[in-house]
Amino acid sequence: MFDWLRRRRLSNEAKRKLLIAAARAEEAIVETHVANVLELMALLGTEVDVDRGLELYHEMLPMDEHISATVTNRVLARYDSPGVPPAPGRRFENVFRDGGR
């Protein structure tokens, strides 16, 4: 994952914290893309189906294959699902906090 991490001596605790921060950052990126796609779909309404909407979004904002697949899966799982709020306003509140750790 991080080539420079192997070259530098970090304590196990520092490595753990770094990997947790990286994972949280990646999750925040994925959730931002999902919220953006859902918002795009809401704006497009019935003009395009979800597959075409995802295709358009990926054309506008190219991303790594694994991020793209994760975003697509989450959008398909949430799209048109009852009780799923579109693009919550405070979705990243406390995303970089350890929750008491």
Side-chain angles (χ1 to χ4, degrees):
M1 183 174 174
F2 299 113
D3 289 333
W4 60 267
L5 187 59
R6 289 187 208 126
R7 292 186 298 241
R8 184 172 176 146
R9 299 255 180 210
L10 294 175
S11 69
N12 287 338
E13 183 64 16
K15 286 179 188 178
R16 184 185 72 77
K17 286 182 180 181
L18 180 63
L19 292 174
I20 288 171
R24 288 179 179 161
E26 186 169 307
E27 283 297 312
I29 290 168
V30 168
E31 285 302 315
T32 298
H33 283 301
V34 170
N36 289 343
V37 172
L38 292 174
E39 186 175 345
L40 175 68
M41 295 308 300
L43 290 171
L44 293 173
T46 59
E47 294 293 320
V48 297
D49 63 2
V50 69
D51 293 328
R52 181 66 178 138
L54 281 163
E55 184 180 323
L56 290 169
Y57 186 83
H58 290 306
E59 286 176 12
M60 290 186 292
L61 291 166
M63 54 192 92
D64 290 341
E65 187 176 329
H66 79 281
I67 298 281
S68 176
T70 303
V71 169
T72 298
N73 286 338
R74 290 186 189 182
V75 166
L76 292 174
R78 294 180 193 173
Y79 185 70
D80 215 15
S81 297
V84 177
R90 301 191 70 175
R91 65 185 178 266
F92 301 120
E93 186 176 10
N94 298 322
V95 71
F96 292 109
R97 301 206 189 272
D98 267 346
R101 284 188 173 177

